[in-house]
Amino acid sequence: SAVISQKPSRDICQRGTSLTIQCQVDSQVTMMFWYRQQPGQSLTLIATANQGSEATYESGFVIDKFPISRPNLTFSTLTVSNMSPEDSSIYLCSAAAETNEKLFFGSGTQLSVL
Amino acid sequence: GQNIDQPTEMTATEGAIVQINCTYQTSGFNGLFWYQQHAGEAPTFLSYNVLDGLEEKGRFSSFLSRSKGYSYLLLKELQMKDSASYLCASTGSGAGSYQLTFGKGTKLSVIP
Protein backbone atom coordinates (compact mmCIF):
# COMPACT_ATOMS: atom_id res chain seq x y z
CA SER A 1 0.00 0.00 0.00
CA ALA A 2 1.08 3.56 -0.66
CA VAL A 3 1.56 6.17 2.03
CA ILE A 4 0.64 9.69 0.97
CA SER A 5 1.83 12.77 2.80
CA GLN A 6 -0.14 15.90 2.14
CA LYS A 7 0.54 19.39 3.42
CA PRO A 8 -0.55 21.72 4.75
CA SER A 9 -3.17 19.88 6.75
CA ARG A 10 -5.16 23.06 7.15
CA ASP A 11 -4.94 26.73 6.34
CA ILE A 12 -6.94 29.90 6.67
CA CYS A 13 -6.46 32.24 3.74
CA GLN A 14 -7.56 35.66 2.64
CA ARG A 15 -9.75 36.23 -0.38
CA GLY A 16 -7.74 36.81 -3.55
CA THR A 17 -4.65 34.93 -2.45
CA SER A 18 -3.39 31.53 -3.62
CA LEU A 19 -2.45 28.35 -1.77
CA THR A 20 -0.32 25.48 -3.02
CA ILE A 21 -0.94 22.02 -1.60
CA GLN A 22 1.79 19.41 -1.82
CA CYS A 23 1.36 15.66 -2.12
CA GLN A 24 4.21 13.18 -1.70
CA VAL A 25 3.82 9.43 -2.24
CA ASP A 26 6.29 6.99 -0.73
CA SER A 27 6.48 4.93 -3.93
CA GLN A 28 6.18 5.49 -7.64
CA VAL A 29 2.56 5.51 -8.78
CA THR A 30 0.99 5.64 -12.18
CA MET A 31 -2.09 7.63 -11.30
CA MET A 32 -2.45 10.72 -9.11
CA PHE A 33 -5.66 12.64 -8.63
CA TRP A 34 -6.96 15.68 -6.82
CA TYR A 35 -10.40 15.66 -5.23
CA ARG A 36 -12.47 18.27 -3.44
CA GLN A 37 -14.89 17.48 -0.64
CA GLN A 38 -17.20 20.30 0.35
CA PRO A 39 -18.91 20.21 3.76
CA GLY A 40 -21.36 17.36 4.00
CA GLN A 41 -20.71 16.30 0.43
CA SER A 42 -18.93 13.46 -1.27
CA LEU A 43 -15.70 13.66 -3.20
CA THR A 44 -15.59 15.47 -6.52
CA LEU A 45 -12.73 14.83 -8.91
CA ILE A 46 -10.93 18.03 -9.86
CA ALA A 47 -8.30 16.62 -12.18
CA THR A 48 -5.92 13.82 -13.01
CA ALA A 49 -2.31 14.85 -12.50
CA ASN A 50 -0.29 13.56 -15.44
CA GLN A 51 3.42 13.09 -15.07
CA GLY A 52 5.34 15.30 -17.47
CA SER A 53 2.28 16.81 -19.14
CA GLU A 54 -0.69 19.03 -18.45
CA ALA A 55 -3.32 17.78 -16.02
CA THR A 56 -6.68 16.52 -17.27
CA TYR A 57 -9.47 18.60 -15.74
CA GLU A 58 -13.05 17.56 -15.08
CA SER A 59 -16.02 19.61 -16.10
CA GLY A 60 -16.29 22.74 -14.02
CA PHE A 61 -12.60 22.94 -13.17
CA VAL A 62 -10.02 24.91 -15.14
CA ILE A 63 -6.27 25.17 -15.16
CA ASP A 64 -6.18 28.88 -14.42
CA LYS A 65 -8.04 28.33 -11.18
CA PHE A 66 -6.45 25.02 -10.16
CA PRO A 67 -2.99 24.72 -11.72
CA ILE A 68 -1.45 21.31 -11.09
CA SER A 69 2.10 20.10 -11.37
CA ARG A 70 3.43 16.57 -11.45
CA PRO A 71 7.16 16.61 -12.09
CA ASN A 72 7.72 12.92 -11.32
CA LEU A 73 5.96 9.70 -10.32
CA THR A 74 5.86 10.45 -6.59
CA PHE A 75 4.98 14.14 -6.24
CA SER A 76 2.23 16.55 -7.23
CA THR A 77 0.99 19.99 -6.26
CA LEU A 78 -2.39 21.66 -6.55
CA THR A 79 -2.71 25.43 -6.37
CA VAL A 80 -6.00 27.07 -5.52
CA SER A 81 -5.71 30.48 -7.16
CA ASN A 82 -7.43 33.78 -6.48
CA MET A 83 -9.39 32.21 -3.66
CA SER A 84 -12.91 33.10 -2.65
CA PRO A 85 -15.02 31.81 0.26
CA GLU A 86 -16.63 29.32 -2.14
CA ASP A 87 -13.26 27.55 -2.34
CA SER A 88 -13.48 26.63 1.35
CA SER A 89 -13.35 22.86 1.29
CA ILE A 90 -11.23 19.82 1.96
CA TYR A 91 -8.79 19.04 -0.83
CA LEU A 92 -7.58 15.46 -1.11
CA CYS A 93 -4.68 14.02 -3.03
CA SER A 94 -5.00 10.40 -4.09
CA ALA A 95 -2.91 7.87 -5.93
CA ALA A 96 -3.16 4.43 -7.47
CA ALA A 97 -0.25 2.21 -8.34
CA GLU A 98 -1.85 1.20 -11.63
CA THR A 99 -5.00 1.91 -13.61
CA ASN A 100 -8.08 0.47 -11.88
CA GLU A 101 -6.15 -0.28 -8.71
CA LYS A 102 -7.54 0.93 -5.40
CA LEU A 103 -7.02 4.56 -4.54
CA PHE A 104 -5.09 5.67 -1.50
CA PHE A 105 -5.73 9.09 -0.06
CA GLY A 106 -3.67 11.71 1.63
CA SER A 107 -4.95 13.08 4.92
CA GLY A 108 -6.44 16.10 3.21
CA THR A 109 -6.08 19.87 3.42
CA GLN A 110 -8.82 21.76 5.20
CA LEU A 111 -8.98 25.17 3.51
CA SER A 112 -10.96 28.10 4.88
CA VAL A 113 -11.14 31.31 2.87
CA LEU A 114 -12.18 34.49 4.64
CA GLY B 1 -22.09 9.90 -17.31
CA GLN B 2 -22.21 8.34 -13.90
CA ASN B 3 -24.93 8.32 -11.26
CA ILE B 4 -24.48 6.68 -7.88
CA ASP B 5 -27.18 6.46 -5.25
CA GLN B 6 -26.90 5.38 -1.61
CA PRO B 7 -28.88 6.21 1.53
CA THR B 8 -27.89 9.37 3.33
CA GLU B 9 -27.99 8.06 6.87
CA MET B 10 -28.44 4.81 8.78
CA THR B 11 -28.49 3.88 12.44
CA ALA B 12 -27.73 0.46 13.86
CA THR B 13 -27.08 -1.11 17.23
CA GLU B 14 -23.73 -2.29 18.51
CA GLY B 15 -23.27 -6.00 17.80
CA ALA B 16 -25.88 -6.04 15.03
CA ILE B 17 -25.56 -6.41 11.26
CA VAL B 18 -26.16 -3.57 8.82
CA GLN B 19 -26.36 -3.54 5.04
CA ILE B 20 -25.60 -0.37 3.09
CA ASN B 21 -26.93 -0.42 -0.46
CA CYS B 22 -25.57 1.33 -3.51
CA THR B 23 -27.04 1.54 -6.98
CA TYR B 24 -25.14 2.90 -9.91
CA GLN B 25 -25.64 3.85 -13.52
CA THR B 26 -22.36 4.31 -15.27
CA SER B 27 -20.91 4.22 -18.71
CA GLY B 28 -17.97 1.91 -19.17
CA PHE B 29 -18.36 0.39 -15.70
CA ASN B 30 -15.32 -1.50 -14.53
CA GLY B 31 -15.65 -2.09 -10.79
CA LEU B 32 -17.13 -0.91 -7.52
CA PHE B 33 -15.23 0.39 -4.49
CA TRP B 34 -16.28 0.91 -0.91
CA TYR B 35 -14.45 3.38 1.31
CA GLN B 36 -14.82 4.27 4.97
CA GLN B 37 -14.40 7.86 6.08
CA HIS B 38 -14.37 8.93 9.70
CA ALA B 39 -15.23 12.53 10.41
CA GLY B 40 -12.31 14.82 9.68
CA GLU B 41 -10.23 12.08 8.13
CA ALA B 42 -9.41 10.88 4.63
CA PRO B 43 -11.26 7.92 3.10
CA THR B 44 -9.72 4.49 3.62
CA PHE B 45 -10.15 1.56 1.26
CA LEU B 46 -12.49 -1.26 2.30
CA SER B 47 -13.23 -3.35 -0.77
CA TYR B 48 -13.21 -3.56 -4.54
CA ASN B 49 -15.61 -5.78 -6.53
CA VAL B 50 -15.15 -6.45 -10.20
CA LEU B 51 -17.00 -9.77 -10.55
CA ASP B 52 -20.54 -10.60 -9.46
CA GLY B 53 -20.90 -12.11 -6.02
CA LEU B 54 -19.96 -11.67 -2.43
CA GLU B 55 -16.47 -11.00 -1.15
CA GLU B 56 -15.86 -11.41 2.53
CA LYS B 57 -13.10 -9.71 4.47
CA GLY B 58 -13.42 -10.19 8.20
CA ARG B 59 -16.43 -8.35 9.57
CA PHE B 60 -16.98 -6.57 6.27
CA SER B 61 -18.39 -8.11 3.09
CA SER B 62 -19.22 -6.53 -0.22
CA PHE B 63 -21.58 -7.75 -2.92
CA LEU B 64 -21.88 -6.80 -6.56
CA SER B 65 -24.47 -7.50 -9.26
CA ARG B 66 -23.31 -5.99 -12.53
CA SER B 67 -26.55 -6.83 -14.35
CA LYS B 68 -28.60 -4.97 -11.74
CA GLY B 69 -26.17 -2.10 -11.19
CA TYR B 70 -26.27 -2.85 -7.49
CA SER B 71 -23.85 -3.33 -4.65
CA TYR B 72 -24.01 -3.54 -0.90
CA LEU B 73 -21.62 -3.39 2.00
CA LEU B 74 -22.41 -5.69 4.89
CA LEU B 75 -21.01 -4.94 8.32
CA LYS B 76 -21.28 -7.64 10.98
CA GLU B 77 -20.79 -7.49 14.74
CA LEU B 78 -20.98 -3.74 14.67
CA GLN B 79 -18.65 -1.80 16.92
CA MET B 80 -18.88 1.81 18.02
CA LYS B 81 -15.78 2.60 15.96
CA ASP B 82 -17.70 1.64 12.82
CA SER B 83 -19.59 4.92 13.08
CA ALA B 84 -18.43 6.68 9.93
CA SER B 85 -19.47 7.57 6.40
CA TYR B 86 -19.33 4.78 3.86
CA LEU B 87 -18.67 5.83 0.30
CA CYS B 88 -19.61 3.79 -2.73
CA ALA B 89 -17.54 4.58 -5.82
CA SER B 90 -17.55 3.21 -9.32
CA THR B 91 -14.90 3.17 -11.97
CA GLY B 92 -16.06 4.08 -15.43
CA SER B 93 -13.28 4.13 -17.90
CA GLY B 94 -12.28 3.41 -21.39
CA ALA B 95 -8.94 2.02 -22.35
CA GLY B 96 -6.12 4.21 -21.11
CA SER B 97 -8.24 6.25 -18.71
CA TYR B 98 -9.31 5.83 -15.13
CA GLN B 99 -11.88 7.74 -13.16
CA LEU B 100 -13.46 7.05 -9.81
CA THR B 101 -16.87 8.60 -9.15
CA PHE B 102 -18.10 8.70 -5.59
CA GLY B 103 -21.60 8.54 -4.20
CA LYS B 104 -22.58 11.06 -1.54
CA GLY B 105 -21.87 8.59 1.22
CA THR B 106 -23.96 6.90 3.90
CA LYS B 107 -23.44 8.19 7.41
CA LEU B 108 -23.70 5.22 9.76
CA SER B 109 -24.30 5.80 13.44
CA VAL B 110 -23.73 2.85 15.76
CA ILE B 111 -25.57 3.16 19.05
CA PRO B 112 -25.10 1.14 22.26
Side-chain angles (χ1 to χ4, degrees):
Chain A
S1 62
V3 176
I4 302 177
S5 301
Q6 185 175 339
K7 59 181 181 181
S9 58
R10 61 179 63 242
D11 207 341
I12 301 173
C13 301
Q14 295 296 320
R15 182 195 298 260
T17 63
S18 298
L19 175 72
T20 296
I21 303 168
Q22 298 183 5
C23 178
Q24 178 74 55
V25 188
D26 69 343
S27 58
Q28 292 187 343
V29 290
T30 301
M31 315 295 291
M32 290 186 76
F33 306 91
W34 287 96
Y35 284 85
R36 181 173 73 182
Q37 187 173 30
Q38 294 180 307
Q41 302 295 314
S42 190
L43 284 73
T44 300
L45 181 63
I46 297 172
T48 302
N50 301 308
Q51 192 265 325
S53 64
E54 191 171 287
T56 304
Y57 290 85
E58 298 303 308
S59 176
F61 298 97
V62 296
I63 188 171
D64 289 346
K65 176 67 175 177
F66 297 102
I68 288 171
S69 77
R70 189 172 173 200
N72 55 51
L73 291 176
T74 64
F75 185 78
S76 178
T77 66
L78 168 75
T79 299
V80 186
S81 302
N82 188 26
M83 288 184 284
S84 67
E86 291 72 34
D87 295 321
S88 297
S89 186
I90 297 173
Y91 292 85
L92 290 153
C93 168
S94 66
E98 297 293 339
T99 303
N100 291 327
E101 289 288 310
K102 60 187 178 185
L103 279 184
F104 296 94
F105 286 87
S107 53
T109 297
Q110 173 78 62
L111 172 63
S112 298
V113 184
L114 304 179
Chain B
Q2 311 220 19
N3 187 36
I4 299 174
D5 195 28
Q6 55 183 129
T8 305
E9 294 186 48
M10 297 182 72
T11 301
T13 305
E14 191 175 14
I17 299 173
V18 70
Q19 177 174 313
I20 303 174
N21 296 324
C22 171
T23 57
Y24 62 89
Q25 295 172 317
T26 64
S27 56
F29 175 81
N30 198 61
L32 198 291
F33 288 87
W34 283 96
Y35 283 83
Q36 180 191 60
Q37 186 176 26
H38 285 100
E41 298 182 12
T44 55
F45 170 81
L46 289 178
S47 67
Y48 179 41
N49 293 65
V50 176
L51 302 176
D52 285 357
L54 184 68
E55 292 202 9
E56 299 186 67
K57 193 184 296 184
R59 293 191 299 113
F60 293 5
S61 302
S62 57
F63 171 84
L64 177 66
S65 168
R66 297 174 70 103
S67 61
K68 296 181 180 179
Y70 169 68
S71 174
Y72 67 72
L73 180 70
L74 193 70
L75 292 76
K76 303 176 185 176
E77 301 169 17
L78 279 173
Q79 303 175 9
M80 299 300 291
K81 68 178 182 179
D82 297 329
S83 293
S85 286
Y86 291 85
L87 306 172
C88 170
S90 72
T91 60
S93 63
S97 66
Y98 173 78
Q99 185 177 92
L100 203 63
T101 300
F102 285 83
K104 295 186 176 182
T106 299
K107 184 178 179 181
L108 173 66
S109 299
V110 180
I111 58 176

